Each structure stands twice: as structure tokens, then as C-alpha cells.
Amino acid sequence: MTRHSALSPLPRGSAHVSVVPRLYGLGSVFGKTLRDSRISALAVAAVVGLTVFAGGEAMASTYGTATSRLELARYAADLPPAMRGLYGDPVAVDTVGGFVSWHY
């Protein structure tokens, strides 16, 4: 006696992932996480970008000249240790990156 199944056998794995997504890990669980959270990642990137842009705009409008930026750096260097502990250690506040990281 032989039994015949109504179900056909499962096909062999024919899904082929190309080399580039495989190198970046986009076909893995990591890639699925990135695909599932792309809206939230874009939202966080937009908020960080707006913060940096607003900080740069504030620095450009307040400390537009080189002498005013040097004066800001001198004031930040002259802060007492208690204020440094409260506000954070000022590092390169005469640049946009240092200003944004110290103020925001």
C-alpha cells in the first residue's frame, strides 16, 4: 500500500540575497529592525538636525564676529569649577560644534 499526499513537496530555498545587502547586513534581523524603525529614525535625525541648525543660528546671530567668539571662549574658560560642574566642561565653545554641545 502506498499513500499519496495531497500536498506537494516544499520547494528548495530559492531566495537569493545579493552581495551588497548581505555585506551591509540588510537581509538579517538587524536589517529588519532598521526597516521597521525607519520612520522613528528619520524623526530622531530631524530633531537632532533642527537642534544643530537652531544652535548654529543662535551662535551666528549672537556671536557673529571673531572677537565675540574669542570673548565667549575666554568667559567659558574663566568659569569657576562649581559652574563648570553645573553647565558642563566647555570645550571649543568658539566653534559651532562646541557651542551647540555646551549650550544644548
Side-chain angles (χ1 to χ4, degrees), residues 34-46:
L34 287 179
R35 286 191 305 273
D36 290 347
S37 63
R38 68 183 128 195
I39 294 174
S40 58
L42 288 174
V44 168

Side-chain angles (χ1 to χ4, degrees), residues 29-67:
V29 174
F30 171 72
K32 184 181 180 336
T33 303
L34 287 179
R35 286 191 305 273
D36 290 347
S37 63
R38 68 183 128 195
I39 294 174
S40 58
L42 288 174
V44 168
V47 168
V48 169
L50 286 174
T51 302
V52 171
F53 181 75
E57 182 65 30
M59 183 179 180
S61 65
T62 307
Y63 305 105
T65 63
T67 56

Side-chain angles (χ1 to χ4, degrees), residues 50-91:
L50 286 174
T51 302
V52 171
F53 181 75
E57 182 65 30
M59 183 179 180
S61 65
T62 307
Y63 305 105
T65 63
T67 56
S68 63
R69 287 191 297 272
L70 289 174
E71 186 177 343
L72 171 68
R74 189 175 57 238
Y75 286 151
D78 291 341
L79 281 175
M83 295 300 283
R84 283 178 185 255
L86 183 63
Y87 290 121
D89 196 23
V91 177

